Amino acid sequence: MSSDAMAIHQGTDVGSRPWVETLHGWVTTVDHKRLGILYILYALLFLAVAGSEAMIIRIQLMYPHNSFVSPQVFNRIFTMHGTTMVFFVGIPVLFGLANYLVPLMIGARDMAFPRLNAFSFWLTALGGFLLYFSFLGGSGLYGAGNAPDVGWWAYAPLTSRAFSPGHSSDYWTISLLVAGFGSIGTAINIIATILCMRCPGMKLSRMPLLVWLNLVVSGMVLIAITPLSAAQIMLCVDRYLGGHFFDTQAGGSAALWMHFFWIFGHPEVYILILPAFAVLSEVIPVFSRKPMFGYPVMVGATIAIGFISMSVWAHHMFSIGMSSYGNAFFVLTTMAIAVPTGIKIFNWLGTMWGGRIIFKTPMLFCIGFLFNFLIAGLTGIMLGSAAFNWQLTGSYFVVAHFHYTLSGSFLFGIFAAFYYWHPKITGRMLGERLGKLHFWLFFIGFHVCFDLMHIPGLLGMARRIYTYEPGRGWDTLNLLISIGAFIQGIATLIFVANLIISYFKGAKAGNDPWDAWTLEWSVSSPPPAYNFASIPTVASRRPLWDLKHPEDPDSRYE
Amino acid sequence: MTNMHKMEWRVVAARVSGILVILTGVLLAAGMCTASPHDNPVPNIFDPRSTPAESIRDHSYFVLAITGLIFLVVISLLVYAVVKFRDKPLTAGREPAQVYGSTQIELAWTIIPVLIVFVLFLATARVIHAIEDARKPATAVEVTAIGHQFWWEYRYPALGVVTANELHVPVSDPAHATPTFLTLLSADTDHSFWVPQLAGKTDLIPNRVNHTWIDPHQTGVYVGQCAQYCGTQHGKMLLRVSVDSPEEFAAWVQAQKQPANHDDKASAGRRVFETTACINCHAVGGTNGTGRFGPDLTHLMSRDTIAAGAALNTHENLRLWMQNPDAIKPGSLMPAMKLSDADLDALVRYLETLR
Amino acid sequence: MSAITTPLPEIPGSSALPYKGRVGMACLIIAESAIFTIFVVAYLYYIGKSLTGPTPREVLETPIFFTVCLLSSSLTIHLASKLLDRGKRGAFLALWFLTIVLGALFMYGTAREWHRLIYEHGLTISTNLFGTTYYSLVGLHAAHVTVGLLMLTIVLLFGLEGRVGREQSARIDVLSMYWHFVDAVWVVVFTVVYVLGR
Ligand code: HEA
Ligand code: HEA
Ligand code: CUA
Ligand SMILES: [Cu+2]
């Protein structure tokens, strides 16, 4: 095995070419697989950046009255951390997976609009680099330059010229606007691909759940990212043309921005979690050796989540003084979302139930996800209960809730995806030993960090504060939280090491290392440029199951 | 194969239980170090001293109980599934029965959550209504709180009092309720009024009038802080509410209504005050200082802290504040006044007469 | 670890999947509708909230003629693409050109109105909330009309070179979807700005 391990990397035409040409090939590529890889690498880069920013936050908050960074820098760092994680880790990784997997899973040779695909990627990339270019402005790196310092919601009127002179808010607005257009382009592309490029027999009701979920996510991107783009255009009008949309001194409304932002912001968090759901829906069946339990209901629940999530935005605004009826309405919609989400959790459990669960690293991350997301959802219910929310909002309890969903669930799902599809993408397995170490370290670090983080919130610690008074019962907790964060950092480094080592030394994967059932496992690893030598035809949701079990194919039951 | 599976499983179980034990321990320890505000100013939301905060606490116990129950049920199912259906050497290689779904079960786990959601919604709506739509009794004290970057202005229109940063309210005896009703405004960006032991948050938003109320049952000083990000010094926009006995409160109001103390010994400092930019931003009753950009200083010395709780109100801190506010609160909107040492001393001596 | 090497069997299946151009354009229209919705909401929210004049009632005149122009261009483009379907290239080009003229007339109307507002009434985007919302909403729409006109013109040029035939009719359909959308948005903008807004 080891002797021919190197061969696969040179097997393709890449190895023999000079690096300039290789680079040129990557930069000008319109191949969905290469663009998928670019998206993913880009997201990884920013995960390291935003993760390092999280480490800066945690160092600063380790002790009361710490002065590791100044308040100005702290504000920039948490803004950049949140913005980067959401827009330049979450969205690219989701599009990367969709780009790579959707055509393969529906038996297509490429996306519907390959050039739009490349264009969208480079727009997103430009957005991220523009955002980080802000660090070089103003007083330079040390004072954190011109980096935005308005929080990732950029509430008005903090972003108006009066309160945000200079260009820091412009960097925030324009880079996200650009990246937003990229996201819309890719979403259109994914939808068109799914609706128009399926191979024969791949009815909508037979698509892998990952494809379904990406269809829903892309639909949500279309109607959720656009309100943010619209609001950002308005902000640009305010800042550059002297408009008054959010200029409170000329009668503009601060609350209007809140509404616009959260009409985007809440669906956005589901846009981030649905791809993780999608990964679970592929990984759990394979490692439980059973088909997805209640496939139609899973699809229905996803669509329900998509719809309901458009109607809950004001649960981020329970403290802005809405009427009791307004508050009650949003309590109801917010809690309603627990029902379809619960269905998903139960269906995954149903899939595991009676199965033969194999604890490979991808599955470990999925089980970790289930555990974390259950808690995350339940703290979400507490937050959704408006009266309770009046005490919890704006405190570290919220920060704990959403890191449970983002770090504990979204990242876990993404890690599962890495371990699961790495063999397909690179042709080599990711190391299991390092993988398990990564999982356990991250799991422990995560819980030390974010379980404890709920408590300072309950003890009155507000978020986005660069320091705090000693003696309020927060000191020890914050120290422990920081330690947990560092453990996560170490775990992530192990993951990166695993990626590098496996790339060169990993075991050869073969076409179908997990004995899985969807079409991507029927082609070589990595797949050839054209994906399928001949376009496949499917007769059920698990084409490879049918192939492997001709005596008992799925198609008999559908 | 066999051994490996067993090993792995034991290690997993040991690790999980280890983590759980550690976590419970830490949680308990943290829970125990919370106490009343008198001996330990922990603004714990589970230690309320006023009706809105109490109703929220009671409601939160209800929500916690229900979510806790859901957690236990689902986690038991998960743990059971993981333990029971793990890949055993006996079954290795054989595919389990392929089950595609079950309408009854799926209906059950749809309907039960719907019912739970409905109960939670009704319970929440009741508390929202009780707190938000509470009627204002005639005996209520009215205060207008105005959020500024990064300090609080308080006006008592009926009493003719203007002060900053430290709110004084009377204790409210349930028999003769004297709650305090606050009207919340903002002079610049969004802020949020949050004193956890007294009430939940309500934001202060420019161009918008918000309301909240408290009726503290126990005297003492309650702390909190601005809970809506409002700029550089959001972190040190702290809140202090002093709940006074009725007599103390009356005395405090009386003192606040007095014109500023003008001690002749400090007239040099007063001249400095009146001839530098201070007056553009600060008001002192009876001087030409009528600025409203910064806190009213008429009774500065009646406050325990300066700069919205960023520092104790001591001679040294006052002097440092005048010299270089950034040393106490970097990014605050008060500029360093660049006074000569003599002027500075005179000024601080003058400020110290403003009782 | 089993490896599948045999490709899946290929069974000729007849599946009628939608045309990707139409789907893509439909998605774009959904996204654009969301953008316009937000601008419309902002416009409605700020009606009557300006702290200073001029107010819409004082300065706005209803652009009936130009509205008719724009709306009828929807008809002409529809007919044009129908004609192309039937292979009548000459008639297609004529109606296509008419569509462009009508669209350009509409843009002229907007330009004239803006000129009047700016130079006669001193209303600019920074004057008050009305100015801000008015120029943004109408301007956003005008920007879409402009983009549409550019694309129509490109097609016209290709057409004049004789390069637009029946084979392109699916693409022409996609473009006319966009143009219909721009017209439909105008109905909303018109109602909001000239009817409700006063
Ligand atoms: C991936 C991201 C993600 C996900 C999936 C969620 C899921 C949920 N979130 Fe969260 N949330 C965020 C990311 C996410 N959130 C972020 C980033 C913020 C803060 C942004 C910021 O302020 O910066 C936030 C903030 C936030 C708030 C505002 C807090 C505040 O600032 O005041 C609220 C309030 O209602 C809330 C509620 C919920 C609810 C009810 C869910 C539900 O979807 C959860 C549903 C799941 C379950 C309930 C568990 C499983 C269900 C069952 C086992 C069935 C049985 C259960 C019942 C019947 C209850 N979230
Ligand atoms: C996907 C989203 C996501 C993720 C994964 C995370 C992950 C983490 N976050 Fe983040 N966070 C947000 C989204 C996210 N966060 C958002 C939206 C906000 C709100 C911002 C706002 O208020 O505006 C926020 C705010 C926020 C705060 C509150 C700041 C404040 O209010 O003052 C804190 C504080 O502890 C924090 C900590 C952490 C930690 C410790 C992690 C850990 O899980 C991180 C783990 C570490 C890594 C994953 C990478 C480690 C990398 C290295 C060690 C370097 C490696 C280097 C090379 C490879 C070269 N985050
Ligand atoms: Cu004021 Cu935060
Ligand atoms: Cu939300």
Side-chain angles (χ1 to χ4, degrees), chain A residues 152-153 262 266 269-270 272-273 315-316 318 334 337-338 341-342 345-346 373-374 376-378 380-381 383-385 389 393-394 398 401-402 405-406 410 463-464, chain B residues 70 74 113 116-117 120:
Chain A
W152 83 282
W153 329 320
W262 289 116
H266 185 84
V269 304
Y270 281 94
L272 294 179
I273 203 69
H315 69 209
H316 296 269
F318 280 139
T334 298
I337 223 165
T341 316
I345 303 242
F346 294 128
F373 187 72
L374 176 65
L378 294 174
I381 294 298
L383 287 165
S385 167
N389 180 284
T393 186
V398 177
H401 156 71
F402 70 74
T405 62
L406 291 170
F410 164 76
R463 63 192 281 203
R464 296 174 160 181
Chain B
I70 298 175
V74 181
I116 300 177
V117 161
L120 281 172

Side-chain angles (χ1 to χ4, degrees), chain A residues 420-441:
Chain A
Y420 186 65
W421 279 291
H422 186 276
K424 179 51 60 186
I425 296 177
T426 64
R428 290 177 185 270
M429 308 296 289
L430 264 182
E432 272 291 304
R433 280 176 60 91
L434 280 181
K436 294 220 159 87
L437 184 62
H438 168 209
F439 170 76
W440 283 109
L441 261 186

